[in-house]
Amino acid sequence: MNNTYVYIEPEKFLMDVLALLRSFYAKLDIKPVVPESRGDVKVEAEKAGYFFSVKVLDNGRALVSFKESSFEFVPVTSSPEDFTAYKKELCRKLYSVFKDDTGHDLPWGMMNGVRPTKPAFIAALAGRGKSESDEYYRSEYLVTDEKADMSWEIARSELNVLSGCEHRESVCAGDRRGYAGGYSVYIGIPFCPSRCLYCSFTAYPLAAFKDGGDEYVKSLIEEMKACSGIFHGTAPDSVYMGGGTPTALNASQLDRIISTAEDVFFTGPSIEFTVEAGRADSITEDKLKVLKKHGISRISVNPQTFNQKTLDLIGRKATAAETIESFKLARELGFDNINMDIILGLPGEGIDEVKHTCEVIEELKPDSLTVHSLALKRASFLGEWIEKNGHSAFTNTDEIQALARKCAASIGLEPYYLYRQKDMCGGFENIGYALPGKECLYNVVMMEEVQSILGFGAGTISKKVVPASDTDSDKAAGDMNLGELIRSGDALHMDISRCENFKEVGDYINRLPELIDRKNELFK
Ligand code: SF4
């Protein structure tokens, strides 16, 4: 298919301008060219001609050329030295150019981060009203009223979920944010039965490991034991075993990992413990019985779609019928908090296909439903598929989104957390819905970054989140408007530092002592 070239100079503007372009022109295969681009790419682009180019000069003026027209952008209040403010002004100008050209707005305006609900969360936490939050979304990022409303609703739900941790002693005197005094655990299992077309996670086909993952499990157990002292024997607020597909491991491996978590972190039936059972081709009765024996409180059985033709195309080996069977088996075995993930915007799927998926969901009545919008990741097999087939097979519209929302509401589920990824089909978002009381605390603490996370396994990230106890800054915060509060950098009064484990399974196993030292050092 034809490439659409865009030229951006200097390179520091690349990510933001590109995100804007790709959101407005999702059906084009946009290739960025920057001054440092290799000669052959530049030559090819110059031959084809640029769809769009922007060149920011040292004097702050920007030369923009778009399709057949060109103009000079003169910043009103910012200079290129104040990079953040200048970039925002430039993007706002480009937004209006692209909006005039396409005739539509972007649901999330100029927001392109992973955590778009954070401003509303900060506003709600600081006791500010909905109107101040809405105004911030509209004026700073040109977010639509619908998404500003949604952000507020989610922020209120998140605070409600977090209130479940208020029994904890807070780290700061006089601070009611008990959740900040706790921690959660993430256990990563980077294996899957096979790789899905759209996958961009750390996930390797288990069949490629001759030992069936035993060495990995051994290392994981060693890592957990070696980090047992970090929180001085206190139990976490939540544990999440994800991946990959944890149930790609066999029943005995799962048993050993969960037993270790119980011994090391004192998890028990009263602690939220999620295991992603993900794909039905990995779920067996003996594995579910192991999870049940350990009192796992929440599992996820993810169809993504109930249309067999799509499942075949995206390389999910389990059939729609097998997913239904696995779900029913889990119910029979007594799991009373089951999540299902679906994806909107899958290739070839339109309103009819999503309607069918929603009908099956409504019959099964999961306790929570996570509605994703497909992320068109160039680093996945999907990138190659798009190279060959183009973008025309992807449809994600307001109507499709409304169908999923209606489906969740019809079985009593309410939205409680939300996040975005890069290059999401239709510029939408991923939303977690749950029955009241069945929300996943881990999802909330991870998304709002309000609690430390101990990550174990290949590709996992540990985060140390420390609440500041500076009462002077509390006082100063009271005098700030929401924008100033957010820009002050300590709106949540949390200092966050992190360390990462190696993604490659071999590196993870061979260099485990180094990773253990790193984690213990981080939390010292
Ligand atoms: S099940 Fe999830 S993690 Fe595994 S290959 Fe598919 S998308 Fe990736």
Side-chain angles (χ1 to χ4, degrees):
M1 65 169 301
N2 292 337
N3 291 319
T4 301
Y5 292 101
V6 300
Y7 181 84
I8 296 162
E9 180 182 349
E11 194 173 354
K12 63 183 176 181
F13 293 99
L14 175 68
M15 297 314 288
D16 292 87
V17 174
L18 196 58
L20 208 51
L21 270 162
R22 283 185 170 151
S23 302
F24 271 108
Y25 301 95
K27 304 253 174 205
L28 296 181
D29 193 24
I30 294 176
K31 292 269 184 331
V33 178
V34 292
E36 294 75 25
S37 297
R38 285 198 340 270
D40 49 349
V41 177
K42 258 187 153 172
V43 170
E44 198 184 317
E46 264 145 32
K47 253 198 245 157
Y50 290 110
F51 171 74
F52 165 86
S53 77
V54 59
K55 191 170 175 181
V56 178
L57 307 176
D58 289 342
N59 63 8
R61 289 168 178 257
L63 307 177
V64 182
S65 119
F66 177 61
K67 294 188 171 173
E68 266 73 61
S69 64
S70 53
F71 62 91
E72 201 174 322
F73 164 69
V74 184
V76 181
T77 54
S78 319
S79 81
E81 275 101 71
D82 183 353
F83 175 63
T84 309
Y86 183 89
K87 187 181 69 180
K88 196 172 250 178
E89 207 183 316
L90 176 66
C91 285
R92 187 181 283 271
K93 173 71 187 165
L94 297 178
Y95 185 99
S96 70
V97 171
F98 303 147
K99 180 184 166 181
D100 286 350
D101 183 55
T102 58
H104 67 80
D105 266 305
L106 298 177
W108 288 99
M110 301 193 311
M111 277 192 138
N112 57 24
V114 174
R115 299 178 166 83
T117 54
K118 206 154 205 165
F121 182 79
I122 290 169
L125 192 63
R128 307 296 174 94
K130 179 176 184 302
S131 55
E132 192 175 356
S133 170
D134 290 353
E135 178 54 26
Y136 177 81
Y137 277 94
R138 273 187 225 113
S139 60
E140 290 280 319
Y141 290 102
L142 311 174
V143 169
T144 59
D145 289 351
E146 190 210 337
K147 297 303 175 196
D149 283 351
M150 186 186 276
S151 299
W152 184 255
E153 189 184 355
I154 297 272
R156 301 296 310 167
S157 302
E158 286 177 322
L159 283 180
N160 188 36
V161 173
L162 289 171
S163 68
C165 304
E166 275 173 11
H167 61 282
R168 275 194 180 280
E169 255 183 53
S170 175
V171 175
C172 303
D175 186 343
R176 286 181 64 247
R177 296 170 301 165
Y179 50 83
Y183 74 104
S184 286
V185 170
Y186 181 82
I187 302 170
I189 309 295
F191 305 118
C192 279
S194 63
R195 197 161 171 88
C196 304
L197 183 73
Y198 54 82
C199 183
S200 60
F201 302 108
T202 306
Y204 307 97
L206 188 57
F209 295 80
K210 286 201 183 77
D211 67 349
D214 273 342
E215 270 300 299
Y216 181 81
V217 171
K218 216 172 112 208
S219 298
L220 193 54
I221 289 173
E222 193 183 327
E223 190 188 11
M224 285 198 272
K225 284 184 176 167
C227 297
S228 62
I230 289 179
F231 283 93
H232 317 291
T234 56
D237 285 317
S238 68
V239 182
Y240 196 102
M241 197 193 282
T245 304
T247 43
L249 295 176
N250 63 39
S252 142
Q253 291 168 325
L254 287 171
D255 194 21
R256 294 207 298 278
I257 296 168
I258 299 170
S259 298
T260 305
E262 284 168 349
D263 294 347
V264 171
F265 299 113
F266 308 99
T267 65
S270 63
I271 307 277
E272 175 187 293
F273 198 137
T274 297
V275 175
E276 277 188 16
R279 290 167 44 160
D281 49 347
S282 72
I283 301 175
T284 59
E285 187 167 346
D286 60 337
K287 293 180 200 177
L288 289 177
K289 281 183 172 163
V290 165
L291 303 186
K292 197 67 204 152
K293 178 183 87 178
H294 286 286
I296 296 304
S297 53
R298 183 175 179 271
I299 64 169
S300 201
V301 178
N302 301 330
Q304 312 304 7
T305 169
F306 278 109
N307 296 288
Q308 193 54 48
K309 198 172 151 204
T310 317
L311 287 169
D312 293 341
L313 173 65
I314 63 177
R316 299 209 30 124
K317 304 288 181 210
T319 63
E322 282 164 346
T323 302
I324 295 170
E325 266 171 45
S326 295
F327 180 89
K328 288 185 175 167
L329 176 63
R331 275 283 194 247
E332 275 164 29
L333 292 172
F335 287 94
D336 62 1
N337 192 351
I338 308 180
N339 174 71
M340 287 192 140
D341 280 5
I342 60 169
I343 303 178
L344 307 179
L346 285 168
E349 293 219 339
I351 199 97
D352 291 340
E353 289 75 15
V354 174
K355 209 179 252 174
H356 172 66
T357 296
C358 288
E359 281 163 6
V360 182
I361 298 275
E362 283 163 26
E363 263 172 47
L364 294 174
K365 297 187 176 51
D367 307 277
S368 58
L369 177 70
T370 312
V371 179
H372 297 260
S373 285
L374 183 68
L376 303 171
K377 299 264 178 171
R378 282 152 183 85
S380 63
F381 293 151
L382 188 63
E384 289 167 32
W385 193 90
I386 292 172
E387 281 282 325
K388 276 195 218 126
N389 302 285
H391 283 80
S392 59
F394 304 99
T395 311
N396 196 3
T397 59
D398 285 331
E399 204 184 351
I400 288 177
Q401 293 282 322
L403 254 186
R405 252 195 321 274
K406 204 168 138 223
C407 164
S410 75
I411 52 175
L413 311 184
E414 296 173 8
Y416 78 99
Y417 90 108
L418 181 156
Y419 67 103
R420 298 187 74 215
Q421 289 161 283
K422 264 196 212 149
D423 301 324
M424 298 194 78
C425 188
F428 293 103
E429 65 279 319
N430 303 323
I431 307 184
Y433 297 87
L435 285 172
K438 297 274 176 92
E439 302 90 348
C440 174
L441 172 66
Y442 177 84
N443 285 335
V444 175
V445 296
M446 189 263 302
M447 207 37 70
E448 295 302 346
E449 299 183 294
V450 289
Q451 187 175 75
S452 293
I453 309 268
L454 276 181
F456 298 104
T460 60
I461 298 175
S462 294
K463 263 185 221 170
K464 183 183 181 185
V465 177
V466 180
S469 57
D470 185 346
T471 46
D472 283 348
S473 81
D474 278 344
K475 270 191 222 125
D479 297 332
M480 296 177 189
N481 67 34
L482 184 58
E484 288 164 341
L485 182 63
I486 290 168
R487 281 191 291 277
S488 72
D490 67 346
L492 282 172
H493 299 294
M494 299 286 187
D495 295 323
I496 302 175
S497 42
R498 35 175 75 77
C499 71
E500 256 173 70
N501 280 0
F502 299 117
K503 280 190 177 163
E504 290 293 329
V505 170
D507 289 341
Y508 168 72
I509 292 172
N510 296 328
R511 296 171 66 182
L512 187 60
E514 194 184 318
L515 299 177
I516 291 171
D517 286 351
R518 230 190 252 180
K519 203 170 354 260
N520 280 311
E521 184 62 28
L522 176 72
F523 285 95
K524 219 162 58 178

Short mmCIF file of all heavy atoms in Angstrom, two decimals, residues 128-136 138 152:
data_model
loop_
_atom_site.label_atom_id
_atom_site.label_comp_id
_atom_site.label_asym_id
_atom_site.label_seq_id
_atom_site.Cartn_x
_atom_site.Cartn_y
_atom_site.Cartn_z
N ARG A 128 -12.18 19.30 44.36
CA ARG A 128 -12.68 20.28 43.39
C ARG A 128 -13.96 19.74 42.76
O ARG A 128 -14.19 18.52 42.74
CB ARG A 128 -11.64 20.54 42.30
CG ARG A 128 -10.25 20.91 42.82
CD ARG A 128 -10.30 22.23 43.58
NE ARG A 128 -9.04 22.56 44.22
CZ ARG A 128 -8.09 23.31 43.67
NH1 ARG A 128 -8.25 23.78 42.44
NH2 ARG A 128 -6.99 23.58 44.32
N GLY A 129 -14.73 20.61 42.16
CA GLY A 129 -16.01 20.18 41.60
C GLY A 129 -15.90 19.70 40.16
O GLY A 129 -14.87 19.89 39.50
N LYS A 130 -16.98 19.10 39.68
CA LYS A 130 -17.02 18.58 38.30
C LYS A 130 -16.82 19.71 37.29
O LYS A 130 -16.14 19.54 36.27
CB LYS A 130 -18.37 17.89 38.06
CG LYS A 130 -18.52 17.36 36.65
CD LYS A 130 -19.82 16.60 36.49
CE LYS A 130 -19.95 15.97 35.11
NZ LYS A 130 -19.88 16.89 33.99
N SER A 131 -17.40 20.89 37.59
CA SER A 131 -17.30 21.96 36.59
C SER A 131 -15.85 22.38 36.38
O SER A 131 -15.43 22.67 35.25
CB SER A 131 -18.17 23.16 36.98
OG SER A 131 -17.80 23.58 38.27
N GLU A 132 -15.05 22.38 37.44
CA GLU A 132 -13.63 22.76 37.28
C GLU A 132 -12.89 21.69 36.48
O GLU A 132 -12.04 21.99 35.62
CB GLU A 132 -12.96 22.96 38.65
CG GLU A 132 -11.60 23.62 38.50
CD GLU A 132 -10.91 23.97 39.82
OE1 GLU A 132 -11.50 23.79 40.89
OE2 GLU A 132 -9.74 24.41 39.74
N SER A 133 -13.24 20.44 36.73
CA SER A 133 -12.62 19.35 35.98
C SER A 133 -13.00 19.45 34.50
O SER A 133 -12.14 19.40 33.62
CB SER A 133 -13.10 18.00 36.57
OG SER A 133 -12.71 16.94 35.75
N ASP A 134 -14.31 19.63 34.23
CA ASP A 134 -14.77 19.72 32.83
C ASP A 134 -14.08 20.85 32.09
O ASP A 134 -13.63 20.69 30.95
CB ASP A 134 -16.29 19.98 32.78
CG ASP A 134 -17.10 18.78 33.22
OD1 ASP A 134 -16.49 17.71 33.43
OD2 ASP A 134 -18.33 18.91 33.36
N GLU A 135 -13.97 21.99 32.77
CA GLU A 135 -13.38 23.17 32.15
C GLU A 135 -11.92 22.90 31.77
O GLU A 135 -11.43 23.29 30.70
CB GLU A 135 -13.51 24.36 33.12
CG GLU A 135 -12.88 25.66 32.65
CD GLU A 135 -13.38 26.10 31.27
OE1 GLU A 135 -14.49 25.72 30.88
OE2 GLU A 135 -12.61 26.81 30.56
N TYR A 136 -11.22 22.20 32.65
CA TYR A 136 -9.82 21.88 32.40
C TYR A 136 -9.69 21.01 31.14
O TYR A 136 -8.87 21.27 30.26
CB TYR A 136 -9.22 21.15 33.61
CG TYR A 136 -7.79 20.73 33.40
CD1 TYR A 136 -6.75 21.64 33.56
CD2 TYR A 136 -7.48 19.43 33.00
CE1 TYR A 136 -5.43 21.27 33.34
CE2 TYR A 136 -6.16 19.06 32.78
CZ TYR A 136 -5.14 19.98 32.95
OH TYR A 136 -3.84 19.61 32.71
N ARG A 138 -11.76 20.74 28.66
CA ARG A 138 -12.14 21.46 27.43
C ARG A 138 -11.08 22.47 27.03
O ARG A 138 -10.63 22.51 25.90
CB ARG A 138 -13.46 22.19 27.65
CG ARG A 138 -14.65 21.31 27.35
CD ARG A 138 -15.94 22.12 27.41
NE ARG A 138 -16.91 21.37 28.16
CZ ARG A 138 -17.40 21.72 29.32
NH1 ARG A 138 -17.04 22.84 29.90
NH2 ARG A 138 -18.28 20.95 29.93
N TRP A 152 -14.97 12.24 34.75
CA TRP A 152 -15.42 12.56 36.11
C TRP A 152 -16.10 11.35 36.76
O TRP A 152 -15.86 11.01 37.92
CB TRP A 152 -16.36 13.77 36.07
CG TRP A 152 -16.79 14.20 37.44
CD1 TRP A 152 -18.00 14.01 38.03
CD2 TRP A 152 -15.98 14.88 38.41
NE1 TRP A 152 -18.01 14.53 39.30
CE2 TRP A 152 -16.78 15.07 39.56
CE3 TRP A 152 -14.67 15.33 38.43
CZ2 TRP A 152 -16.31 15.70 40.72
CZ3 TRP A 152 -14.19 15.97 39.59
CH2 TRP A 152 -15.00 16.14 40.70
#
